[in-house]
Amino acid sequence: MTTNRMKSKLLSGRPAFGVSIMFPSPHIVDMVGRLGFDWVLIDCEHGSISLESVELMVMAAEAAGVTPIARPPINSFESIGQLMDRGVMGVQVPHVNTAEDARRAVESVKYHPFGERGLAAGVRSASYGYGMSMSEYAEHSNRETLVCVQLEEAEAIENVDEIVQVGGVDVFFVGPSDLSQSLGYPGRVDAPQVREAMGRTFSSIAAAGRVSGSAGSTAAIRQYLDQGVTYLYTHLTTLLSSAAGEFMDEVGG
């Protein structure tokens, strides 16, 4: 099992930049790593990525030197455990609204004494049982895996002070899109009410000495950096659109 360089970067206070990918493509993961990004988000909540494809995308990430994080479809032991066994270095868990939700996410990722994840020798995350004992693997996994929880509903914003006290969570991600809908402004992520709620939440996370995250365009990410956010990514579709627009502008298309 490899060292989680992206987690180390975040815990040292430096920003880590990633790209979210929603369809199965080890090649795109390989390109993202070669382009200098720190990590990839393999999106199994909104995308069309199967467990088999997750494993191949993780292999590509390791070869390209980029950290693979996966977003499970739901916050459950089963869905999170299956992704972890494929070798991802962490998960970004959607719709975490309470401290109990956050604790469930941690317990799904970690082995005893921090969690209840199922321990199996033959899975890829454990190097198929080769080269290290099960106890060594469990200790290494507990140290290196990352837990990110998504605060993306009004209930989560109200409960943020309790959620940020949950041990074992590395990143508290404030999701603009679903939050805009929950607050009554679907898709209007720049609505003053949405931005105010996000800023207030970032402040609460920082006051607790914890790491915050979010996603968006380059303009949005610059704003988040000014607010002290360090776990940051853009979507592959946004990246392609921006590059395509720049290309067309330059060639007169």
Side-chain angles (χ1 to χ4, degrees), residues 181-227:
Q181 176 169 249
S182 181
L183 294 175
Y185 305 90
R188 295 170 57 193
V189 296
D190 286 324
Q193 295 85 347
V194 178
R195 286 300 172 193
E196 188 278 331
M198 292 184 69
R200 180 162 32 92
T201 305
F202 291 143
S203 296
S204 296
I205 296 167
R210 311 302 293 273
V211 175
S212 57
S214 199
S217 64
T218 52
I221 287 176
R222 282 195 296 267
Q223 180 179 344
Y224 297 144
L225 283 166
D226 290 340
Q227 294 174 290

Short mmCIF file of all heavy atoms in Angstrom, two decimals, residues 181-227:
data_model
loop_
_atom_site.label_atom_id
_atom_site.label_comp_id
_atom_site.label_asym_id
_atom_site.label_seq_id
_atom_site.Cartn_x
_atom_site.Cartn_y
_atom_site.Cartn_z
N GLN A 181 -29.58 23.96 -3.69
CA GLN A 181 -30.93 23.40 -3.79
C GLN A 181 -31.60 23.30 -2.42
O GLN A 181 -32.77 23.65 -2.25
CB GLN A 181 -30.87 22.02 -4.43
CG GLN A 181 -32.21 21.31 -4.49
CD GLN A 181 -32.18 20.08 -5.37
OE1 GLN A 181 -32.79 20.07 -6.42
NE2 GLN A 181 -31.46 19.05 -4.93
N SER A 182 -30.84 22.85 -1.43
CA SER A 182 -31.39 22.70 -0.09
C SER A 182 -31.83 24.04 0.50
O SER A 182 -32.80 24.11 1.26
CB SER A 182 -30.35 22.04 0.83
OG SER A 182 -30.86 21.87 2.13
N LEU A 183 -31.12 25.12 0.12
CA LEU A 183 -31.46 26.44 0.63
C LEU A 183 -32.54 27.14 -0.20
O LEU A 183 -32.94 28.25 0.11
CB LEU A 183 -30.21 27.31 0.68
CG LEU A 183 -29.12 26.87 1.68
CD1 LEU A 183 -27.88 27.76 1.55
CD2 LEU A 183 -29.65 26.90 3.11
N GLY A 184 -33.00 26.47 -1.26
CA GLY A 184 -34.08 27.03 -2.07
C GLY A 184 -33.64 27.77 -3.30
O GLY A 184 -34.45 28.49 -3.92
N TYR A 185 -32.36 27.61 -3.70
CA TYR A 185 -31.83 28.31 -4.88
C TYR A 185 -31.14 27.30 -5.80
O TYR A 185 -29.92 27.40 -6.03
CB TYR A 185 -30.85 29.41 -4.46
CG TYR A 185 -31.43 30.39 -3.48
CD1 TYR A 185 -31.33 30.17 -2.11
CD2 TYR A 185 -32.09 31.53 -3.92
CE1 TYR A 185 -31.86 31.07 -1.19
CE2 TYR A 185 -32.64 32.44 -3.02
CZ TYR A 185 -32.53 32.20 -1.66
OH TYR A 185 -33.06 33.09 -0.77
N PRO A 186 -31.86 26.32 -6.32
CA PRO A 186 -31.22 25.22 -7.05
C PRO A 186 -30.37 25.71 -8.23
O PRO A 186 -30.86 26.40 -9.11
CB PRO A 186 -32.40 24.37 -7.53
CG PRO A 186 -33.60 25.25 -7.43
CD PRO A 186 -33.33 26.19 -6.31
N GLY A 187 -29.08 25.35 -8.18
CA GLY A 187 -28.16 25.71 -9.25
C GLY A 187 -27.59 27.11 -9.15
O GLY A 187 -26.65 27.43 -9.88
N ARG A 188 -28.11 27.93 -8.26
CA ARG A 188 -27.65 29.31 -8.13
C ARG A 188 -26.59 29.38 -7.02
O ARG A 188 -26.81 29.92 -5.94
CB ARG A 188 -28.81 30.24 -7.85
CG ARG A 188 -29.82 30.33 -9.00
CD ARG A 188 -31.08 31.07 -8.59
NE ARG A 188 -30.78 32.41 -8.08
CZ ARG A 188 -31.66 33.17 -7.43
NH1 ARG A 188 -32.89 32.71 -7.22
NH2 ARG A 188 -31.32 34.37 -7.00
N VAL A 189 -25.43 28.82 -7.32
CA VAL A 189 -24.40 28.71 -6.28
C VAL A 189 -23.82 30.07 -5.89
O VAL A 189 -23.18 30.19 -4.84
CB VAL A 189 -23.27 27.76 -6.74
CG1 VAL A 189 -23.81 26.36 -6.93
CG2 VAL A 189 -22.60 28.26 -8.01
N ASP A 190 -24.05 31.10 -6.74
CA ASP A 190 -23.56 32.43 -6.41
C ASP A 190 -24.62 33.30 -5.73
O ASP A 190 -24.37 34.48 -5.47
CB ASP A 190 -23.07 33.14 -7.68
CG ASP A 190 -21.74 32.59 -8.17
OD1 ASP A 190 -20.91 32.24 -7.31
OD2 ASP A 190 -21.54 32.47 -9.39
N ALA A 191 -25.77 32.72 -5.42
CA ALA A 191 -26.80 33.47 -4.68
C ALA A 191 -26.20 33.91 -3.33
O ALA A 191 -25.51 33.12 -2.68
CB ALA A 191 -28.03 32.61 -4.46
N PRO A 192 -26.46 35.14 -2.91
CA PRO A 192 -25.87 35.62 -1.65
C PRO A 192 -26.14 34.70 -0.46
O PRO A 192 -25.28 34.52 0.39
CB PRO A 192 -26.53 37.00 -1.47
CG PRO A 192 -26.89 37.43 -2.86
CD PRO A 192 -27.25 36.19 -3.59
N GLN A 193 -27.33 34.12 -0.42
CA GLN A 193 -27.67 33.24 0.71
C GLN A 193 -26.81 31.99 0.72
O GLN A 193 -26.42 31.48 1.79
CB GLN A 193 -29.16 32.86 0.65
CG GLN A 193 -30.11 34.03 0.82
CD GLN A 193 -30.38 34.79 -0.48
OE1 GLN A 193 -29.67 34.60 -1.49
NE2 GLN A 193 -31.40 35.63 -0.48
N VAL A 194 -26.50 31.49 -0.46
CA VAL A 194 -25.65 30.28 -0.57
C VAL A 194 -24.22 30.62 -0.19
O VAL A 194 -23.58 29.90 0.59
CB VAL A 194 -25.73 29.69 -1.98
CG1 VAL A 194 -24.82 28.48 -2.11
CG2 VAL A 194 -27.17 29.31 -2.34
N ARG A 195 -23.70 31.71 -0.74
CA ARG A 195 -22.32 32.10 -0.45
C ARG A 195 -22.14 32.43 1.04
O ARG A 195 -21.11 32.13 1.64
CB ARG A 195 -21.93 33.31 -1.30
CG ARG A 195 -21.69 32.95 -2.76
CD ARG A 195 -20.58 31.93 -2.89
NE ARG A 195 -20.45 31.43 -4.26
CZ ARG A 195 -19.75 30.36 -4.59
NH1 ARG A 195 -19.11 29.68 -3.65
NH2 ARG A 195 -19.68 29.96 -5.83
N GLU A 196 -23.16 33.05 1.64
CA GLU A 196 -23.07 33.39 3.06
C GLU A 196 -23.02 32.12 3.89
O GLU A 196 -22.22 32.02 4.84
CB GLU A 196 -24.26 34.25 3.46
CG GLU A 196 -24.19 34.84 4.86
CD GLU A 196 -24.63 33.86 5.95
OE1 GLU A 196 -25.48 32.98 5.65
OE2 GLU A 196 -24.13 33.97 7.09
N ALA A 197 -23.86 31.14 3.56
CA ALA A 197 -23.89 29.88 4.30
C ALA A 197 -22.56 29.14 4.15
O ALA A 197 -22.04 28.56 5.11
CB ALA A 197 -25.04 29.01 3.81
N MET A 198 -22.00 29.15 2.94
CA MET A 198 -20.73 28.48 2.72
C MET A 198 -19.61 29.17 3.51
O MET A 198 -18.81 28.50 4.17
CB MET A 198 -20.39 28.47 1.23
CG MET A 198 -21.30 27.59 0.39
SD MET A 198 -20.80 27.51 -1.35
CE MET A 198 -19.26 26.58 -1.22
N GLY A 199 -19.56 30.49 3.44
CA GLY A 199 -18.52 31.22 4.16
C GLY A 199 -18.61 31.01 5.66
O GLY A 199 -17.58 30.84 6.33
N ARG A 200 -19.83 31.00 6.17
CA ARG A 200 -20.02 30.75 7.60
C ARG A 200 -19.54 29.36 8.00
O ARG A 200 -18.93 29.15 9.05
CB ARG A 200 -21.50 30.95 7.93
CG ARG A 200 -21.88 30.74 9.37
CD ARG A 200 -23.23 31.38 9.69
NE ARG A 200 -24.14 31.35 8.56
CZ ARG A 200 -25.02 30.37 8.33
NH1 ARG A 200 -25.06 29.33 9.14
NH2 ARG A 200 -25.86 30.45 7.31
N THR A 201 -19.79 28.40 7.12
CA THR A 201 -19.39 27.02 7.39
C THR A 201 -17.87 26.87 7.33
O THR A 201 -17.26 26.21 8.17
CB THR A 201 -20.06 26.06 6.40
OG1 THR A 201 -21.48 26.25 6.45
CG2 THR A 201 -19.75 24.61 6.75
N PHE A 202 -17.24 27.49 6.32
CA PHE A 202 -15.78 27.48 6.25
C PHE A 202 -15.17 28.06 7.53
O PHE A 202 -14.18 27.55 8.06
CB PHE A 202 -15.27 28.28 5.05
CG PHE A 202 -15.57 27.66 3.71
CD1 PHE A 202 -15.90 28.47 2.62
CD2 PHE A 202 -15.51 26.29 3.53
CE1 PHE A 202 -16.15 27.91 1.38
CE2 PHE A 202 -15.77 25.72 2.28
CZ PHE A 202 -16.10 26.54 1.21
N SER A 203 -15.77 29.14 8.04
CA SER A 203 -15.26 29.77 9.26
C SER A 203 -15.38 28.84 10.46
O SER A 203 -14.47 28.77 11.30
CB SER A 203 -16.02 31.08 9.53
OG SER A 203 -15.78 32.03 8.52
N SER A 204 -16.49 28.10 10.53
CA SER A 204 -16.69 27.16 11.63
C SER A 204 -15.68 26.02 11.57
O SER A 204 -15.15 25.59 12.60
CB SER A 204 -18.11 26.59 11.60
OG SER A 204 -19.07 27.60 11.80
N ILE A 205 -15.40 25.55 10.37
CA ILE A 205 -14.43 24.47 10.19
C ILE A 205 -13.04 24.97 10.59
O ILE A 205 -12.30 24.27 11.31
CB ILE A 205 -14.44 23.99 8.73
CG1 ILE A 205 -15.80 23.36 8.38
CG2 ILE A 205 -13.32 22.97 8.49
CD1 ILE A 205 -16.03 23.14 6.89
N ALA A 206 -12.68 26.17 10.15
CA ALA A 206 -11.37 26.73 10.48
C ALA A 206 -11.23 26.97 11.98
O ALA A 206 -10.15 26.74 12.56
CB ALA A 206 -11.15 28.03 9.71
N ALA A 207 -12.31 27.43 12.61
CA ALA A 207 -12.27 27.71 14.05
C ALA A 207 -12.01 26.44 14.86
O ALA A 207 -11.43 26.49 15.95
CB ALA A 207 -13.58 28.35 14.50
N ALA A 208 -12.43 25.30 14.31
CA ALA A 208 -12.20 24.02 14.97
C ALA A 208 -10.83 23.43 14.62
O ALA A 208 -10.48 22.34 15.09
CB ALA A 208 -13.30 23.03 14.58
N GLY A 209 -10.06 24.15 13.79
CA GLY A 209 -8.74 23.68 13.41
C GLY A 209 -8.77 22.54 12.41
O GLY A 209 -7.82 21.75 12.33
N ARG A 210 -9.83 22.45 11.63
CA ARG A 210 -9.99 21.34 10.69
C ARG A 210 -9.83 21.82 9.25
O ARG A 210 -9.82 23.02 8.96
CB ARG A 210 -11.38 20.69 10.86
CG ARG A 210 -11.76 20.35 12.30
CD ARG A 210 -10.78 19.43 13.00
NE ARG A 210 -10.75 18.08 12.44
CZ ARG A 210 -11.58 17.10 12.83
NH1 ARG A 210 -12.49 17.32 13.77
NH2 ARG A 210 -11.48 15.89 12.30
N VAL A 211 -9.73 20.87 8.33
CA VAL A 211 -9.50 21.15 6.90
C VAL A 211 -10.83 21.21 6.17
O VAL A 211 -11.69 20.34 6.35
CB VAL A 211 -8.62 20.06 6.27
CG1 VAL A 211 -8.48 20.28 4.76
CG2 VAL A 211 -7.24 20.04 6.93
N SER A 212 -11.01 22.22 5.33
CA SER A 212 -12.25 22.36 4.56
C SER A 212 -11.97 22.13 3.08
O SER A 212 -10.84 22.24 2.60
CB SER A 212 -12.88 23.74 4.77
OG SER A 212 -11.97 24.76 4.42
N GLY A 213 -13.05 21.81 2.35
CA GLY A 213 -12.93 21.56 0.92
C GLY A 213 -14.12 22.07 0.15
O GLY A 213 -15.20 22.31 0.72
N SER A 214 -13.95 22.24 -1.15
CA SER A 214 -15.06 22.56 -2.04
C SER A 214 -14.58 22.36 -3.48
O SER A 214 -13.45 21.94 -3.72
CB SER A 214 -15.59 23.97 -1.83
OG SER A 214 -16.90 24.09 -2.37
N ALA A 215 -15.44 22.68 -4.44
CA ALA A 215 -15.15 22.43 -5.85
C ALA A 215 -15.76 23.51 -6.72
O ALA A 215 -16.71 24.19 -6.32
CB ALA A 215 -15.68 21.06 -6.26
N GLY A 216 -15.21 23.64 -7.94
CA GLY A 216 -15.79 24.60 -8.87
C GLY A 216 -14.82 25.01 -9.96
O GLY A 216 -13.81 24.35 -10.21
N SER A 217 -15.13 26.13 -10.58
CA SER A 217 -14.30 26.69 -11.64
C SER A 217 -13.06 27.33 -11.05
O SER A 217 -12.91 27.44 -9.83
CB SER A 217 -15.10 27.75 -12.40
OG SER A 217 -15.41 28.84 -11.53
N THR A 218 -12.17 27.81 -11.93
CA THR A 218 -10.97 28.47 -11.43
C THR A 218 -11.32 29.71 -10.61
O THR A 218 -10.68 29.98 -9.58
CB THR A 218 -10.04 28.87 -12.60
OG1 THR A 218 -10.80 29.63 -13.56
CG2 THR A 218 -9.46 27.65 -13.27
N ALA A 219 -12.34 30.45 -11.03
CA ALA A 219 -12.75 31.64 -10.28
C ALA A 219 -13.24 31.27 -8.89
O ALA A 219 -12.90 31.91 -7.89
CB ALA A 219 -13.83 32.40 -11.05
N ALA A 220 -14.06 30.21 -8.83
CA ALA A 220 -14.57 29.76 -7.53
C ALA A 220 -13.43 29.27 -6.65
O ALA A 220 -13.39 29.57 -5.45
CB ALA A 220 -15.60 28.66 -7.74
N ILE A 221 -12.50 28.52 -7.22
CA ILE A 221 -11.40 27.98 -6.43
C ILE A 221 -10.50 29.09 -5.90
O ILE A 221 -10.02 29.02 -4.76
CB ILE A 221 -10.63 26.93 -7.25
CG1 ILE A 221 -11.48 25.66 -7.36
CG2 ILE A 221 -9.27 26.61 -6.62
CD1 ILE A 221 -10.91 24.57 -8.22
N ARG A 222 -10.27 30.12 -6.68
CA ARG A 222 -9.50 31.27 -6.18
C ARG A 222 -10.18 31.89 -4.97
O ARG A 222 -9.53 32.26 -3.99
CB ARG A 222 -9.31 32.31 -7.28
CG ARG A 222 -8.22 31.95 -8.30
CD ARG A 222 -7.83 33.17 -9.13
NE ARG A 222 -8.94 33.65 -9.94
CZ ARG A 222 -9.17 33.29 -11.19
NH1 ARG A 222 -8.35 32.43 -11.79
NH2 ARG A 222 -10.19 33.77 -11.87
N GLN A 223 -11.51 31.98 -5.03
CA GLN A 223 -12.27 32.53 -3.91
C GLN A 223 -12.15 31.62 -2.69
O GLN A 223 -11.95 32.09 -1.56
CB GLN A 223 -13.74 32.68 -4.30
CG GLN A 223 -14.62 33.24 -3.19
CD GLN A 223 -16.06 33.41 -3.65
OE1 GLN A 223 -16.36 33.38 -4.84
NE2 GLN A 223 -16.97 33.57 -2.69
N TYR A 224 -12.24 30.30 -2.90
CA TYR A 224 -12.14 29.36 -1.79
C TYR A 224 -10.75 29.42 -1.15
O TYR A 224 -10.61 29.34 0.08
CB TYR A 224 -12.43 27.93 -2.26
CG TYR A 224 -13.84 27.73 -2.78
CD1 TYR A 224 -14.09 26.87 -3.85
CD2 TYR A 224 -14.92 28.38 -2.21
CE1 TYR A 224 -15.36 26.68 -4.34
CE2 TYR A 224 -16.21 28.20 -2.70
CZ TYR A 224 -16.42 27.35 -3.77
OH TYR A 224 -17.69 27.15 -4.25
N LEU A 225 -9.72 29.56 -1.97
CA LEU A 225 -8.36 29.66 -1.43
C LEU A 225 -8.25 30.88 -0.50
O LEU A 225 -7.61 30.81 0.56
CB LEU A 225 -7.35 29.76 -2.56
CG LEU A 225 -7.02 28.46 -3.29
CD1 LEU A 225 -6.27 28.75 -4.59
CD2 LEU A 225 -6.19 27.53 -2.41
N ASP A 226 -8.88 31.97 -0.89
CA ASP A 226 -8.87 33.17 -0.05
C ASP A 226 -9.59 32.95 1.26
O ASP A 226 -9.33 33.65 2.25
CB ASP A 226 -9.52 34.34 -0.80
CG ASP A 226 -8.67 34.86 -1.95
OD1 ASP A 226 -7.45 34.59 -1.95
OD2 ASP A 226 -9.23 35.53 -2.85
N GLN A 227 -10.50 31.95 1.28
CA GLN A 227 -11.24 31.63 2.50
C GLN A 227 -10.57 30.51 3.30
O GLN A 227 -11.15 30.02 4.26
CB GLN A 227 -12.68 31.23 2.14
CG GLN A 227 -13.50 32.37 1.55
CD GLN A 227 -14.87 31.92 1.07
OE1 GLN A 227 -15.00 31.19 0.08
NE2 GLN A 227 -15.90 32.34 1.78
#
